[in-house]
Amino acid sequence: MFSTEPVLSLNQADIYQGGRIVLGDVTFDVNKGDFVFLIGRTGSGKSSLLKTLYADLWLQSGTGHIAGFGLEKLKPKDVPYLRRKIGIVFQDFQLFMDRNIEDNLRFVLKATGWTDPAKMKNRISEVLMQVGLGTLHKKMPHQLSGGEQQRVVVARAMLNEPMILIADEPTGNLDPAVGEQIMNVFQTINNSGTAILMATHNYDFLRKYPARVLRVEDGKVIEQGL
Ligand SMILES: Nc1ncnc2c1ncn2[C@@H]1O[C@H](COP(=O)(O)OP(=O)(O)O)[C@@H](O)[C@H]1O
Ligand SMILES: [Mg+2]
């Protein structure tokens, strides 16, 4: 049955960081196929909000659902299963530098329950194609540019076909032109139906890639009118 449930829904959520409330009364939905920018100053609480969504911080007050999991009633044992349903991309690339690209990706597949070598090989080829790096399987991370490494990280986040991709300043360490490549990859992924929630400092993106904007400011999250 086709589901119209939001992929992500927060309702009167309070976001805590280090025992202190950083965002209060946060309410918004992200639907299948949405592209949402999360903007706001450094220290405004963007990362704290995203961490709450992938259960690095607990939701202590209010309710939240993501990819079919209830955040307020989540148990530690649920966290790995939740993270299989969402893709996460950070600013720093976090590839294993001692193994090639294919082995980096295979490591994640094995860790998330894949066993069939042929299926793993197939899926690795698919995600590398998706980010435009179909020929780099055997390269070591240090042989890739920063932008290519970050595309591998995006490919890695897509391995288990997440319903939503959460990206925390994914272009923050990249040259502007390279950041555009990452944006193009995100657009492709989004066009195939995966929702994207992306924290960014780069206001040029808001002009070039019109999408929903959530602004984090003064302890609140506000939907910005178009
Ligand atoms: N691990 C932490 N422990 C305590 N306070 C933190 C921690 N990480 C961030 N903070 C504080 O929480 C607030 C929100 O930070 P953060 O969510 O990282 O904002 P942003 O991602 O928008 O820059 C800031 O005041 C920051 O100093
Ligand atoms: Mg941050």
Side-chain angles (χ1 to χ4, degrees), residues 170-189:
T171 64
N173 280 340
L174 300 170
D175 290 341
V178 179
E180 302 260 337
Q181 290 173 12
I182 301 292
M183 278 308 297
N184 289 330
V185 167
F186 280 174
Q187 299 260 298
T188 307
I189 288 170

Side-chain angles (χ1 to χ4, degrees), residues 19-76:
R20 193 169 68 84
I21 188 167
V22 292
L23 296 173
D25 196 16
V26 179
T27 300
F28 68 89
D29 286 354
V30 174
N31 293 306
K32 188 177 188 297
D34 277 358
F35 197 121
V36 184
F37 287 117
L38 187 65
I39 60 166
R41 282 204 209 118
T42 301
S44 60
K46 301 181 297 297
S47 295
S48 303
L49 173 61
L50 297 181
K51 282 179 180 170
T52 306
L53 298 176
Y54 57 81
D56 202 31
L57 293 171
W58 295 111
L59 182 59
Q60 302 175 30
S61 153
T63 57
H65 279 88
I66 185 164
F69 289 81
L71 286 171
E72 73 282 1
K73 37 187 193 231
L74 205 66
K75 302 201 167 51

Side-chain angles (χ1 to χ4, degrees), residues 75-95:
K75 302 201 167 51
K77 70 171 170 51
D78 300 327
V79 172
Y81 299 98
L82 163 67
R83 296 207 185 140
R84 280 176 211 184
K85 294 283 171 212
I86 58 184
I88 309 171
V89 177
F90 302 101
Q91 179 167 342
D92 42 23
F93 311 135
Q94 298 173 320
L95 293 171

Side-chain angles (χ1 to χ4, degrees), residues 32-34 163 188-195:
K32 188 177 188 297
D34 277 358
M163 300 172 75
T188 307
I189 288 170
N190 181 241
N191 287 337
S192 70
T194 307

Side-chain angles (χ1 to χ4, degrees), residues 6-225:
V7 178
L8 156 63
S9 178
L10 282 180
N11 198 10
Q12 298 186 307
D14 293 333
I15 307 297
Y16 285 84
Q17 173 70 267
R20 193 169 68 84
I21 188 167
V22 292
L23 296 173
D25 196 16
V26 179
T27 300
F28 68 89
D29 286 354
V30 174
N31 293 306
K32 188 177 188 297
D34 277 358
F35 197 121
V36 184
F37 287 117
L38 187 65
I39 60 166
R41 282 204 209 118
T42 301
S44 60
K46 301 181 297 297
S47 295
S48 303
L49 173 61
L50 297 181
K51 282 179 180 170
T52 306
L53 298 176
Y54 57 81
D56 202 31
L57 293 171
W58 295 111
L59 182 59
Q60 302 175 30
S61 153
T63 57
H65 279 88
I66 185 164
F69 289 81
L71 286 171
E72 73 282 1
K73 37 187 193 231
L74 205 66
K75 302 201 167 51
K77 70 171 170 51
D78 300 327
V79 172
Y81 299 98
L82 163 67
R83 296 207 185 140
R84 280 176 211 184
K85 294 283 171 212
I86 58 184
I88 309 171
V89 177
F90 302 101
Q91 179 167 342
D92 42 23
F93 311 135
Q94 298 173 320
L95 293 171
F96 291 115
M97 298 310 277
D98 64 345
R99 62 198 82 180
N100 69 26
I101 299 312
E102 191 175 288
D103 289 340
N104 264 278
L105 299 178
R106 190 180 293 108
F107 176 88
V108 173
L109 288 175
K110 284 183 172 167
T112 54
W114 292 60
T115 52
D116 184 322
K119 283 191 180 142
M120 286 193 276
K121 203 171 172 52
N122 214 3
R123 185 62 191 146
I124 288 166
S125 292
E126 282 173 1
V127 292
L128 286 175
M129 292 285 277
Q130 205 174 8
V131 301
L133 296 177
T135 59
L136 297 185
H137 294 62
K138 301 293 180 193
K139 290 266 200 275
M140 297 297 283
H142 75 263
Q143 296 176 292
L144 272 53
S145 68
E148 287 169 338
Q149 290 186 38
Q150 187 62 310
R151 275 145 76 192
V152 174
V153 170
V154 175
R156 185 179 63 186
M158 294 305 294
L159 281 168
N160 285 303
E161 300 184 75
M163 300 172 75
I164 181 167
L165 191 66
I166 291 177
D168 195 350
E169 312 230 16
T171 64
N173 280 340
L174 300 170
D175 290 341
V178 179
E180 302 260 337
Q181 290 173 12
I182 301 292
M183 278 308 297
N184 289 330
V185 167
F186 280 174
Q187 299 260 298
T188 307
I189 288 170
N190 181 241
N191 287 337
S192 70
T194 307
I196 297 189
L197 177 58
M198 171 179 169
T200 186
H201 258 108
N202 189 334
Y203 285 53
D204 285 345
F205 288 157
L206 308 194
R207 265 191 305 106
K208 282 193 190 152
Y209 305 92
R212 266 179 75 193
V213 177
L214 294 172
R215 181 185 289 277
V216 183
E217 202 170 61
D218 300 331
K220 299 277 172 217
V221 178
I222 306 147
E223 182 99 35
Q224 183 164 295

